[in-house]
Amino acid sequence: MYSPNPLCPPPLLWRVSALVAALSSLAPHMLAGQEHIDHKPVVAAGSPAAKVSGPPILVNASRKPGTVEVTITAEPTRVSFVRGASTPAYAYNGRVPGPTLELREGDKVVIHFRNRLPEPSTIHWHGLHLPVVADGSQYHLVPPGGQYDYEFTIQPGTAGTYWYHPHPHNTGHQIAKGLYGAVIVRPPRDPVPAAVKEKVLIFADNRFTSDGSVDFPDPASIPGRIDFENGREGPILFVNGSVMPAMNIRSGEVQRWRVVNASAARVLRLALRGHTFLHIGNDGGLFEHPLEVNEILVANSERVELLVRGTGKPGETAVLQTLPYDRYIPQTRPKDWSTPRDILTVQYTNQPALQPVKLPATYRAIPALDTAKSTATRVMAMSQGMINGKLHDMNRIDVSAPLGAVEIWQIENLVGMDHPFHLHGFQFQVIDRNGVPAPFRSWKDTVNVPKHETVRFIVRYDKYPGKWMFHCHILDHSDHGMMGVLEVK
Ligand code: C2O
Ligand code: CU
Ligand code: CU
């Protein structure tokens, strides 16, 4: 049963016009510190010398495909997110982010989920192609104290970087409290040379009150309504749970970065001073060919894979930043939105330069889904908080389609802020943006649709029937009903 979160204001308040009216009745100086009105956030950074460490690997992939059986427990704990504060948090297996799951194509996976939280929860395997009963959507809530077994087989061709997070009716709240983790799926033969070291980098942001608690303002307050509008952002940026950590690279070395943006709303625009990236993959795995870029946009819930070449000299440092990205409507755009922010220090060791490893020019073949085979076009018009003018209803099917069908989805953003659109269950291929063909093929499960733009993608409902969610991945939007249901049967 869908019951709206009692903590949230009624959908009426959701309207931009209402918020704008409320904002314009405030003195301008009150808008300036909009993240902070009535809240004194903790600004102290964590230990600056912290080394980036990946979350522990729960199961690793240095083995043959087989049966993988693990237990993941979600429970309340306290975490020192920022120096000098102890924050009441939620954690998977006691840590934030949760352990990384390393899986292989062909693995049969059994995850025993124990919910020790004081509220219903689930684990959703964002991007994985699996049976609907293992999808962890709000159709399969696990009550407090309950347990659930997620069982699925990792399908061939799905190697890539994914993530897991809860998916109840207050997903934003539970992720902000610390529930998120990475999933890596490995292919039988990885085209990236084995000499290339791999780093899993899970980015998230958060905001805390002066007593160290995760800051969830009263939804009826101005900060609460700004969160509601923009999606909740925080001034403190985390990499694998640490603030501004350092990571070593050796001159000449190539590293493979698997990046997950686990933020509720923040869009990352990553750049590493003095370096370019080789962009080799995104949500659904590797591209056919690498792409050299100066910076990379990663919307919340998207993933990218980058090859980072250590072109600096021994002893140098470089700072990974997120550059300004204007995803906001002007009325609620944060005052400091245009300031670049440091996230991570890349420290060159003093070792002599390595001979660069030879990188492949082709990673894999991605067969095109054929638009001529499409049997329907689904138009999704996103307004502020709604899809096709409707709020989510668990008892309504918004799209019904036969198993195996190939269809085109046309996602229209009618409003002046970006909405990242996510489909459960099936990876898709972007066809075009505002009519301009996508420059190359890739598998995606989330696509950011910038203000007033239209994106079309093509998808095949392979293998798994059921009721699948689609939604804006700004968690404040999806939790308040910017979501629909696709039934495949
Ligand atoms: Cu990442 Cu429906 O979720
Ligand atoms: Cu998902
Ligand atoms: Cu949205």
Side-chain angles (χ1 to χ4, degrees):
M1 265 296 121
Y2 178 70
S3 58
N5 184 336
L7 293 175
C8 300
L12 193 62
L13 282 182
W14 178 234
R15 301 307 179 78
V16 182
S17 52
L19 179 67
V20 170
L23 292 178
S24 50
S25 65
L26 295 172
H29 74 271
M30 291 191 69
L31 279 179
Q34 43 193 234
E35 280 178 337
H36 314 145
I37 299 168
D38 292 329
H39 293 266
K40 289 188 196 68
V42 173
V43 288
S47 148
K51 271 270 151 39
V52 124
S53 54
I57 307 283
L58 193 54
V59 277
N60 73 53
S62 52
R63 53 178 175 79
K64 296 238 148 44
T67 299
V68 171
E69 191 173 352
V70 293
T71 298
I72 298 184
T73 305
E75 63 192 338
T77 182
R78 294 189 82 91
V79 175
S80 178
F81 285 115
V82 287
R83 192 164 39 203
S86 152
T87 299
Y90 289 167
Y92 286 129
N93 291 3
R95 61 176 330 283
V96 179
T100 297
L101 254 74
E102 250 191 62
L103 305 171
R104 300 204 81 97
E105 291 180 7
D107 275 346
K108 284 175 60 64
V109 183
V110 183
I111 289 137
H112 306 290
F113 171 52
R114 287 181 226 274
N115 181 10
R116 301 256 163 82
L117 304 172
E119 53 180 316
S121 193
T122 69
I123 305 182
H124 169 59
W125 309 95
H126 182 121
L128 287 181
H129 186 45
L130 38 63
V132 78
V133 291
D135 189 47
S137 78
Q138 52 274 64
Y139 283 114
H140 300 97
L141 289 178
V142 183
Q147 25 191 33
Y148 193 89
D149 288 346
Y150 297 100
E151 295 184 47
F152 48 90
T153 299
I154 300 293
Q155 297 300 309
T158 62
T161 308
Y162 302 89
W163 65 301
Y164 63 98
H165 62 76
H167 212 293
H169 300 293
N170 60 342
T171 296
H173 179 263
Q174 293 192 7
I175 295 181
K177 294 268 278 188
L179 297 178
Y180 58 94
V183 179
I184 298 170
V185 174
R186 299 195 185 280
R189 271 197 26 162
D190 201 315
V192 177
V196 173
K197 263 199 224 131
E198 193 175 289
K199 310 274 181 184
V200 177
L201 302 175
I202 312 172
F203 295 99
D205 64 353
N206 215 334
R207 206 172 66 209
F208 303 93
T209 57
S210 49
D211 70 356
S213 316
V214 178
D215 181 17
F216 297 113
D218 173 356
S221 68
I222 295 297
R225 290 158 80 176
I226 289 170
D227 280 358
F228 202 30
E229 197 68 38
N230 286 349
R232 183 175 177 278
E233 283 188 350
I236 303 184
L237 301 180
F238 293 91
V239 184
N240 300 344
S242 307
V243 180
M244 198 57 198
M247 192 161 88
N248 282 349
I249 192 168
R250 181 168 172 183
S251 183
E253 181 189 348
V254 179
Q255 294 183 349
R256 177 187 199 166
W257 291 4
R258 294 180 181 264
V259 171
V260 178
N261 183 354
S263 315
R266 181 181 292 276
V267 172
L268 299 168
R269 185 179 151 213
L270 300 175
L272 182 62
R273 247 177 261 150
H275 297 69
T276 59
F277 299 124
L278 274 187
H279 187 193
I280 60 168
N282 54 17
D283 303 344
L286 295 173
F287 299 154
E288 297 193 306
H289 308 290
L291 207 75
E292 177 146 23
V293 296
N294 290 312
E295 55 177 63
I296 182 92
L297 210 61
V298 196
N300 47 304
S301 93
E302 286 184 314
R303 287 85 63 210
V304 294
E305 287 195 48
L306 305 172
L307 293 183
V308 180
R309 289 158 300 176
T311 48
K313 295 196 181 60
E316 284 182 356
T317 56
V319 174
L320 181 73
Q321 289 191 310
T322 181
L323 303 176
Y325 177 72
D326 184 9
R327 65 181 188 83
Y328 315 93
I329 55 169
Q331 292 86 347
T332 55
R333 185 188 289 132
K335 196 181 122 231
D336 62 352
W337 78 275
S338 61
T339 313
R341 320 192 45 151
D342 295 352
I343 307 186
L344 171 72
T345 303
V346 174
Q347 175 68 54
Y348 280 89
T349 64
N350 290 317
Q351 297 157 287
L354 281 172
Q355 275 312 314
V357 47
K358 197 166 161 346
L359 298 171
T362 303
Y363 290 91
R364 63 165 173 171
I366 299 181
L369 293 176
D370 184 359
T371 51
K373 300 231 166 80
S374 167
T375 46
T377 296
R378 309 296 184 173
V379 177
M380 299 291 152
M382 297 195 289
S383 54
Q384 201 65 358
M386 288 189 268
I387 299 177
N388 291 340
K390 290 177 218 157
L391 286 169
H392 179 213
D393 179 347
M394 294 276 289
N395 300 310
R396 186 184 68 228
I397 304 298
D398 296 279
V399 177
S400 172
L403 188 64
V406 174
E407 297 190 342
I408 291 173
W409 289 47
Q410 177 165 324
I411 320 298
E412 300 174 359
N413 186 347
L414 305 184
V415 294
M417 78 172 284
D418 293 20
H419 295 281
F421 186 91
H422 170 51
L423 175 64
H424 285 213
F426 310 96
Q427 294 276 328
F428 53 75
Q429 294 177 356
V430 172
I431 305 169
D432 52 24
R433 291 177 173 269
N434 287 336
V436 179
F440 57 92
R441 266 195 300 284
S442 73
W443 291 112
K444 300 270 303 151
D445 53 61
T446 307
V447 61
N448 189 44
V449 188
K451 24 183 106 159
H452 299 297
E453 293 196 8
T454 293
V455 172
R456 291 194 313 149
F457 64 72
I458 182 164
V459 59
R460 185 172 53 219
Y461 310 124
D462 261 339
K463 204 170 169 83
Y464 298 120
K467 290 181 191 167
W468 301 97
M469 304 292 167
F470 56 87
H471 57 90
C472 173
H473 216 288
I474 292 176
L475 302 175
D476 305 79
H477 295 183
S478 47
D479 282 347
H480 296 95
M482 196 169 178
M483 178 156 355
V485 178
L486 157 72
E487 182 168 35
V488 172
K489 54 180 181 187

